[in-house]
Amino acid sequence: MSIISFFRILIVRISSLFYFSRRSKVIFYHDIHSNTKYTNMSTPVDLFKKHVQMIRESGYEIVSEITQLKGQIEISFDDAFLGLYDNIELIKELNIPIRLFVISSYLDKKGHINRQQLVELHQLPQITIAAHTHSHKSLNKMDLDEIQFELKKSKEELEKILTSKVDSICFPEGKFNRDSVLLSEGEGYIKIYSSLPGFYHDDFIGVKKRSLVQFAQEREFKAILKGGDHFLFFWYKRKHYNK
């Protein structure tokens, strides 16, 4: 573990001491793996199972969509790597809903799900398909026409494959600006997600906050559930958001 990671985890754990409520929040991963690992951002299935256990032991309900101020956790996965598909029986066994953010141009690419697998996942009651733009480029570095293309093309491609509505999106690498938000709303995205840590109902300019937990061990994960990573909000905002 690097010095930076050590101090980050320490800050998260100390900050969690100041949060005492079970307010609802979104957590996210990139993939899970048992045998084959498709990305260095992947979480071992044993650690993922431990997270689910800790969520439930802490008194939270894992839901497909947060509707309550307290007591609910929403789980999402970014990029649609193959590991989630490979381990879908685990998701069924745990009976947990997942919101899967799909990069439409990455379908059929090595290490990612293909179109048929996307349809299979969509047909499961545990999986909600959402957009992650068309090519996974940072939106805050684009002009308005480029941003609109990324948002529109992704929605059109996914809806064509699934023959159903796709109305939620998260921004690639968590990076966005106000134009990204306004154009997302204009394209019909009802729920817009960032990678800024925070509680679900404390959104930022209409964008839902999420906490990255893919490598969190037990103490760090419990601290994140309490809100310990919220101390890092302004650091993430500086990295991810351009007006």
Side-chain angles (χ1 to χ4, degrees), residues 23 68 72 104 107 120 149 157 226:
R23 293 185 62 190
Q68 303 293 328
Q72 294 182 330
S104 52
L107 292 169
E120 291 177 36
F149 172 81
E157 288 287 316
K226 292 180 180 179

Side-chain angles (χ1 to χ4, degrees), residues 32-150:
I32 52 175
H33 66 274
S34 47
N35 296 320
T36 304
K37 186 176 179 180
Y38 298 100
T39 171
N40 289 332
M41 297 180 290
S42 185
T43 303
V45 292
D46 288 343
L47 180 59
F48 181 72
K49 288 163 66 176
K50 183 64 176 176
H51 285 181
V52 172
Q53 179 185 345
M54 285 189 285
I55 290 170
R56 288 172 167 161
E57 288 177 349
S58 298
Y60 291 95
E61 177 189 12
I62 302 174
V63 298
S64 59
E65 185 171 359
I66 291 173
T67 58
Q68 303 293 328
L69 181 64
K70 294 184 179 182
Q72 294 182 330
I73 295 289
E74 187 179 313
I75 298 176
S76 59
F77 278 69
D78 290 5
D79 299 351
F81 289 103
L82 260 174
L84 181 65
Y85 180 84
D86 288 350
N87 293 279
I88 197 60
E89 292 304 319
L90 172 63
I91 303 302
K92 294 178 183 178
E93 177 188 330
L94 294 173
N95 192 26
I96 51 174
I98 300 292
R99 188 179 300 269
L100 178 62
F101 291 102
V102 180
I103 309 164
S104 52
S105 71
Y106 282 23
L107 292 169
D108 299 313
K109 282 191 175 183
K110 184 178 180 180
H112 294 80
I113 62 173
N114 59 37
R115 285 167 169 76
Q116 180 57 43
Q117 291 164 339
L118 175 66
V119 172
E120 291 177 36
L121 291 174
H122 174 62
Q123 292 171 343
L124 298 176
Q126 294 87 0
I127 306 296
T128 298
I129 301 299
H132 199 27
T133 73
H134 182 60
S135 60
H136 202 259
K137 297 176 182 177
S138 298
L139 299 184
N140 61 350
K141 297 179 180 178
M142 297 180 177
D143 61 33
L144 295 181
D145 288 341
E146 291 174 315
I147 295 173
Q148 188 161 31
F149 172 81
E150 287 291 325

